[in-house]
Amino acid sequence: AQTIHQWPVAEIKAVGSPLSLGCTIKGKSSPNLYWYWQATGGTLQQLFYSITVGQVESVVQLNLSASRPKDDQFILSTEKLLLSHSGFYLCAWTRDSSDYTFGSGTRLLVI
Amino acid sequence: GDSVTQTEGPVTVSESESLIINCTYSATSIAYPNLFWYVRYPGEGLQLLLKVITAGQKGSSRGFEATYNKETTSFHLQKASVQESDSAVYYCALGDITGNTGKLIFGLGTTLQVQP
């Protein structure tokens, strides 16, 4: 069975500090991977997607970056957090474009 | 552009009452939109509740159902008799089956509170 694991579950970080969020998918080779984000009071929006190792496409510019160092790993990061980065981050994978599976998410508060 | 509009919450109903959460969409750049309802229970991640990929079809799961109506561009979520365990946040979403972008367009979410 495929599993998706996100870490950490929650973070409180200072403005200007670095951030790294991770996502690992087990049991599925060559998945399409995605990062979504929801600001407080906002809607979930796609930030990045990746269809293969080493290739990441940016969808929304938020001073964040993403990388896919391994087939089963997707990392979201920034060197300097902004207050506006607070929110809920979700990783997802698809088997095909009609079947998305989401992780349990990371809640980030930037202070 | 592509967008989803759903009932603004919170929605409060009593147990065993019927429920409808409205969802309408605009899919100007998606030739063959897929429609989804996702649910997030307290303390849990986002789960797929039901999906419909063909206009005119109905999806159902856990007593919930929704019909993909292309004429009215709607995908309303209904349940005949809710339970307290249905309390959660419900998201309507629009997706594109073509290509690999995997982009889902979400509504703002509707918080459902079911009172015992």
Side-chain angles (χ1 to χ4, degrees), chain A residues 32 34 36 38 41-46 49 51 59 88 90 94 96-105 107, chain B residues 34 36 38 40 44-48 51 53 91 95-109:
Chain A
N32 292 347
Y34 313 91
Y36 280 80
Q38 182 179 30
T43 189
L44 279 160
Q45 53 182 311
Q46 191 184 63
Y49 69 90
I51 60 174
V59 178
F88 188 63
L90 277 173
T94 56
D96 58 52
S97 292
S98 68
D99 198 1
Y100 304 85
T101 301
F102 286 88
S104 54
R107 195 161 295 281
Chain B
N34 290 187
F36 305 81
Y38 282 88
R40 195 161 85 200
E44 298 185 18
L46 201 62
Q47 305 175 24
L48 178 66
K51 69 177 182 185
I53 62 174
Y91 295 89
D96 187 355
I97 64 167
T98 60
N100 290 307
T101 65
K103 191 169 185 177
L104 285 174
I105 312 294
F106 286 88
L108 284 174

Side-chain angles (χ1 to χ4, degrees), chain B residues 84-101:
Chain B
E84 199 175 347
S85 58
D86 292 327
S87 297
V89 182
Y90 293 81
Y91 295 89
C92 184
L94 166 70
D96 187 355
I97 64 167
T98 60
N100 290 307
T101 65

Side-chain angles (χ1 to χ4, degrees), chain A residues 22-73:
Chain A
C23 174
T24 300
I25 290 82
K26 295 298 181 188
K28 171 64 181 172
S29 62
S30 304
N32 292 347
L33 299 177
Y34 313 91
W35 278 110
Y36 280 80
W37 169 71
Q38 182 179 30
T40 302
T43 189
L44 279 160
Q45 53 182 311
Q46 191 184 63
L47 299 179
F48 299 94
Y49 69 90
S50 171
I51 60 174
T52 191
V53 175
Q55 289 187 8
V56 177
E57 300 296 329
S58 174
V59 178
V60 174
Q61 285 299 328
L62 282 179
N63 292 311
L64 295 168
S65 60
S67 63
R68 187 168 176 178
K70 301 179 186 177
D71 186 52
D72 63 354
Q73 197 172 72

